[in-house]
Amino acid sequence: MTYAIAEAAHRSGLSIDTLRYYERIELIDPPARDSGGRRVYTDDDLAWLAFLTRLRTTGMPIKLMREYARLRDQGPVSAGARKRILERHREDVKVRIAELTSCLDALDYKIENYEQIIRAETLSTIQEASA
C-alpha cells in the first residue's frame, strides 16, 4: 500500500512540513516518487515514522534520533550500537517517569487537600443554614 504525502501525514499524525523536515535532516530516507514526481510513502515508511514519533515523545533529542537512523541504514551490522542507544535512552525515560510520578503524587496530595477544605466548607455552610 502506498500513500501520498497528505495521507502519510494524516496516518502518522505528523504534518506535511514535519515529513519534509525529517527527510531533509535524514531521519527518513527520501520516499519513492510517483510518475508525477510526488512523494509516495509505504507502510514500512509509516511504521518507521511511528517509531520516530515514539522516540520524540519520550524526549530523545533529534541529534540522537539522527544517529539512530544513520545506524539503521547500515543494517544488522549496527544492531549492537542501536541497542545501546535505546538502552541508554530507556534509562533516561525511567528517570523522567520517576520524576513525573513524584510530581503526580504532589498534585494528588494537593487536590485531596483542597477536596477536604471544600467538604469542610460545604459542611459548615449546611450547618449554619440549618441552625
Side-chain angles (χ1 to χ4, degrees), residues 17-127:
D17 289 337
T18 298
L19 293 178
R20 289 181 176 143
Y21 172 69
Y22 280 7
E23 181 182 344
R24 189 171 55 253
I25 66 168
E26 300 177 347
L27 269 180
I28 61 174
D29 295 329
R33 302 280 180 148
D34 65 12
S35 61
R38 293 176 294 269
R39 291 168 174 86
V40 178
Y41 295 85
T42 65
D43 287 326
D44 287 343
D45 294 328
L46 293 180
W48 175 238
L49 288 168
F51 183 68
L52 290 174
T53 299
R54 288 184 186 268
L55 293 179
R56 195 73 188 117
T57 299
T58 61
M60 182 179 277
I62 293 284
K63 182 178 178 180
L64 193 53
M65 290 171 64
R66 289 181 67 203
E67 174 66 13
Y68 186 89
R70 186 186 64 75
L71 290 167
R72 176 182 177 256
D73 287 342
Q74 295 176 8
V77 68
S78 69
R82 286 182 281 157
K83 180 178 179 257
R84 285 188 294 279
I85 287 172
L86 294 179
E87 287 172 337
R88 284 192 304 268
H89 185 62
R90 177 178 59 193
E91 292 308 311
D92 293 342
V93 169
K94 286 180 178 181
V95 168
R96 286 186 56 225
I97 288 171
E99 290 170 349
L100 288 172
T101 299
S102 176
C103 292
L104 183 59
D105 291 345
L107 289 171
D108 288 342
Y109 171 81
K110 291 301 278 184
I111 290 167
E112 176 60 30
N113 184 49
Y114 288 126
E115 286 174 352
Q116 290 175 9
I117 291 169
I118 291 166
R119 279 194 301 269
E121 183 63 28
T122 301
L123 182 59
S124 174
T125 301
I126 290 171
Q127 289 172 347

